[in-house]
Amino acid sequence: MNGSVVLLHLAGAVALLLWATRMVRTGVERTYGDQLRQRLRGVIKRPILAIGFGTALAIALQSSTAVTLLVGSFVGSGFVSGIAGLMAVRGAEVGSALVVKILSYDLTILVPICILAGTAIFMTTERRDWRQNGRILVGVGLLILSLEMTGQATEPLRHSQLLPIIVDYLSGDPITAYLLAALITWLFHSSIAGVILLTTFASRGLIHPELGLVMVLGVNLGSSIIAPILTRNAPPETRVVPLGNLLMRGAGSLIVLVLFLTFHPPLGLLGSDPVNQIVNAHILFNIIILLAGIPLSGMVLRATEGLVNLNKPKAQPQPMAAEELSALDPSVLDTPSQALANATREVVRVCETVEIMLQRVMDLYENPDPARIKELAALDDRVDRRHAAIKLYLAKLATGELSDYEALRTQELLGACVKLEQVGDIIVRNMLAHVQKKMDRKLEFTEEGWRELSQFHAFVLANAHLAFNVLVSRDGHTARQLVQEKDRLRDMEKDTSQRHFSRLREGATRSLETSTIHLDTIRDLKQINSLLASMAYPVLEEQGLLRDTRLKVAQS
C-alpha cells in the first residue's frame, strides 16, 4: 500500500473520529443541554463542586472546549465568579483526559451493540429525547469503530522507510514535535482526537514514549488555544475564562516540557506499555495543572482581566440601536415575494428577542435583580414595537394582489407575530410579577421544586427552538414533532403538580411558601408552550397532517 493510500485511510479514520465525537456531543446537548446548563449554573458558584461537575460535563460532551465556552458565557453574564469558572474548566480538562483513558481499553464489542441499539431507538420512535439518545449510542459506536480504523490505517506505516526518518528528526527536535502536536490539535479542534492518534502510533511502535509525552504536552497547548480563538470577538468578560485557561494550561505545558527535557524522569512509573504511559501522562499533567490552579487562580484571573482590558477597544460613538433598523422595506410591497421575505426576517428578529426573554426570566427567578428586571421589561417593549410594525406592513401587503400561497404565508406570519407578542406579555406581566414577589418576600424554592421548574423551563425553551425553526423552514416533520411535544409537556405538568402537592402534604415549609409561585409559573410556561406549538398548525394543515385540532395517525 503506497503512502497516499495510507494517509487517505488515516484521514478517513480521523474524520470519523471527529464526526462521532460531534454526534455524541450534539446528542447530549440537544437532549440534556438545558438541564446541564441549569445544573452547572447552580453548582459553579462553589469552586470545589465546579471542579467535579466540570469533569462530569466534559465526559458527557466529549469536549473540554465546549465546557470552556459554556462556562465563559456564564462568567461573561455575571452569573458566576471568574475563580469558579477557572476551576470548572480545570475539572473539564481532567474529564477530557479521562475520556481518552476510557477509550484506550478494548471496547470493540460495544461497536455492534451501540450501533444496533442506537439505530433501533432512533428509527422506532418520534420522541425527540429518545431519538437523541439513539444518536448518542450510534455516535459512541462510531467513535469506537474509528479507533479500530485508525489502528488498521497505521498498520502499514510499520514498514515505511520515511516515517523512521521523521520520527528521528522529531526526537532530536522536541520543540518542533511539541509545536506540531499543538497545530494538529488545533486543526482537529479536539484534544481527545490528538491524544488518541498518538496512542495509536505508540501501540504500533511508530513513536517511542518519550516523543509521545512531548507531543502530549503539545496537544494540551493546542487544545488551550481553541477556545480563545473562538471567543476572540466576544465581550471582554466572556474571554476571561478561555484566556485564563490558556495561561494556566498553555504555560503549564511549556514549563513541564522544559522540566522533562532537563531532568528526563523515568516513564516506567506511568505504566508498563507506551499507550498507558502516554495516556497517564496526559491525565497526570491535567491533574497537576488543576492542583496548581487552586492557589494560582486569583493571580491568573487578575492577569487575564488585565489582558482583556488592554485589548478592549477604545470607546467609540454608540451605533444606531438595533431596534431602529428594520427589514420592512415599503418600496418592495409591489413585489410580494420580497415583501414576505422582509417580513420573515423581521419576525425572526422577534423570535430572537422572545428567546432571550424566555432564557433570562428563569435566571431572574434564581438571582432576582431590579436592574435586570427592568432590562427584561424593556425587551417586551421592543417586541411590541416590532409587532406593530410587522402587522401594519403585512396589512398593506394584503391589499395588493397575492397568490394563494402568498396570502397563506401572510396570515401565517401575522399569526406567528401575534403569538410571539402574547408570549412576551406572559413573561413580563406574569412571570416577572412572580420574580418580584419572590424577591420582595425573600422566598426560596426547595431543591426539588427548583429542579422541576428548571427542567420544565428547559423543555419549553427547546420547543421554542423547534417553533422558530418551523416558522422559517416550514418543515412538516419538525412541525409534527413540535405538536407531539405539546402532549408530552401536558404529562410533565401533571407529574410536576403531583410531586408539588405531595411536598405540601408532607408539610415542607418552603414548598408552602412558594406554592403559588411554583404552580403559576408552571401554568405560564405551559401557556407559552401552547402558543409556540400552535405556530406549527398552518404547516400541518397545509400538508394534510392535521385533522380538526389533532394530529392524524402517521401513515406508513
Side-chain angles (χ1 to χ4, degrees), residues 312-511:
K312 191 173 182 179
K314 296 180 180 180
Q316 296 180 1
Q318 290 293 327
M320 184 181 295
E323 57 265 30
E324 299 299 327
L325 302 177
S326 174
L328 304 177
D329 184 1
S331 66
V332 299
L333 285 171
D334 292 335
T335 309
S337 60
Q338 293 187 30
L340 285 172
N342 289 342
T344 301
R345 287 173 53 196
E346 203 68 11
V347 175
V348 168
R349 289 183 178 179
V350 178
C351 290
E352 293 171 349
T353 305
V354 168
E355 180 180 359
I356 292 172
M357 294 173 66
L358 188 57
Q359 286 177 334
R360 291 183 181 177
V361 71
M362 287 306 286
D363 299 334
L364 291 175
Y365 270 79
E366 189 176 12
N367 298 301
D369 177 75
R372 293 173 60 209
I373 290 175
K374 290 181 180 179
E375 291 176 1
L376 189 57
L379 290 178
D380 186 52
D381 295 336
R382 180 188 301 178
V383 170
D384 291 341
R385 288 195 300 271
R386 289 196 182 278
H387 168 248
I390 294 169
K391 184 167 61 175
L392 179 61
Y393 189 78
L394 292 175
K396 291 179 180 178
L397 177 63
T399 60
E401 295 184 4
L402 303 177
S403 66
D404 291 343
Y405 170 78
E406 290 166 347
L408 287 173
R409 183 61 172 166
T410 299
Q411 290 300 316
E412 183 181 349
L413 290 174
L414 182 58
C417 201
V418 169
K419 293 178 179 67
L420 291 169
E421 193 265 344
Q422 292 173 340
V423 169
D425 287 344
I426 293 171
I427 293 173
V428 171
R429 296 177 185 177
N430 296 356
M431 299 183 73
L432 278 188
H434 306 330
V435 170
Q436 190 69 46
K437 180 179 178 181
K438 179 176 178 291
M439 181 174 63
D440 292 343
R441 299 185 182 181
K442 296 180 171 58
L443 302 177
E444 293 293 335
F445 292 110
T446 63
E447 291 185 6
E448 185 178 357
W450 176 244
R451 183 169 60 252
E452 290 171 1
L453 282 179
S454 298
Q455 291 174 350
F456 201 85
H457 170 262
F459 196 91
V460 173
L461 186 60
N463 287 346
H465 298 158
L466 286 179
F468 302 154
N469 290 341
V470 168
L471 181 64
V472 176
S473 68
R474 308 192 82 251
D475 175 64
H477 177 77
T478 307
R480 184 182 185 87
Q481 182 181 352
L482 178 59
V483 176
Q484 289 172 333
E485 296 297 324
K486 180 181 177 181
D487 294 333
R488 286 192 58 211
L489 191 85
R490 187 184 302 114
D491 295 335
M492 284 183 63
E493 181 206 10
K494 292 179 182 177
D495 293 341
T496 299
S497 298
Q498 289 173 0
R499 288 194 293 268
H500 178 71
F501 286 127
S502 295
R503 291 193 296 273
L504 291 179
R505 286 193 296 269
E506 293 169 359
T509 303
R510 284 196 290 175
S511 293

